[in-house]
């Protein structure tokens, strides 16, 4: 009799655990993260010349500031690992995620790559 009770309790907790895991996984899939969230904030430009201080800021309104000056243009594409900004001349800035705290910025006008590092507060 005691074995039956233990077996029922074991089965109950096994089913309950699987339901909890299933519920948790379904919530992860349905919650949509804004791909711009990763890019938002201030980034220091390190390459090609770290002696000239430059910074880029991405805000929540999909605007980009270079050294605190608003850049004219608009975001063309925002993906989880890539952001494309087209300036008012028609040139694209392609920002690609390299790691959790660094980006690569390709400037189509200059045909140069720049390395960006997230500013820490």
């Amino acid at each position: 009799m005691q074995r039956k009770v233990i077996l029922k309790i074991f089965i109950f907790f096994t089913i309950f655990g699987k339901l909890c895991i299933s519920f948790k996984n379904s919530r992860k899939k349905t919650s949509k993260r804004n791909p711009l969230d990763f890019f938002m904030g201030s980034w220091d430009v390190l390459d090609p010349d770290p002696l000239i201080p430059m910074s880029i800021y991405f805000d929540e309104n999909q605007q980009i500031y270079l050294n605190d000056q608003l850049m004219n243009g608009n975001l063309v594409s925002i993906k989880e690992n890539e952001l494309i900004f087209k300036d008012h001349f028609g040139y694209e800035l392609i920002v690609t995620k390299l790691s959790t705290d660094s980006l690569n910025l390709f400037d189509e006008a200059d045909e140069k790559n720049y390395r960006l590092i997230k500013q820490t507060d």
Side-chain angles (χ1 to χ4, degrees):
M1 173 124 170
Q2 189 177 11
R3 286 185 183 184
K4 287 183 179 182
V5 172
I6 291 173
L7 183 62
K8 287 181 181 180
I9 292 172
F10 175 76
I11 292 171
F12 170 77
F13 280 109
T14 302
I15 292 171
F16 181 75
K18 288 184 179 185
L19 287 173
C20 288
I21 290 170
S22 175
F23 178 74
K24 181 180 174 185
N25 288 341
S26 70
R27 287 193 60 176
K28 281 184 182 177
K29 291 177 184 174
T30 57
S31 66
K32 298 239 178 184
R33 244 185 67 219
N34 183 357
L36 185 62
D37 288 347
F38 173 79
F39 297 97
M40 284 193 319
S42 294
W43 299 81
D44 290 322
V45 179
L46 293 185
D47 292 332
D49 189 358
L51 299 176
I52 301 170
M54 289 179 51
S55 65
I56 290 183
Y57 178 77
F58 300 94
D59 75 3
E60 63 275 355
N61 296 323
Q62 301 183 356
Q63 294 180 324
I64 298 177
Y65 295 83
L66 177 62
N67 294 334
D68 298 325
Q69 297 293 317
L70 178 64
M71 295 183 65
N72 292 328
N74 57 359
L75 286 175
V76 176
S77 171
I78 305 169
K79 298 177 185 169
E80 183 134 350
N81 294 323
E82 183 182 72
L83 177 144
I84 300 174
F85 179 84
K86 187 174 278 194
D87 69 12
H88 64 286
F89 295 114
Y91 291 107
E92 291 183 346
L93 295 175
I94 302 170
V95 182
T96 308
K97 180 179 176 181
L98 297 175
S99 68
T100 57
D101 63 348
S102 67
L103 300 171
N104 180 68
L105 181 138
F106 175 72
D107 185 354
E108 185 182 38
D110 294 335
E111 295 184 357
K112 287 185 181 177
N113 285 297
Y114 299 90
R115 186 166 172 230
L116 308 177
I117 299 295
K118 182 87 169 179
Q119 286 184 3
T120 55
D121 296 325

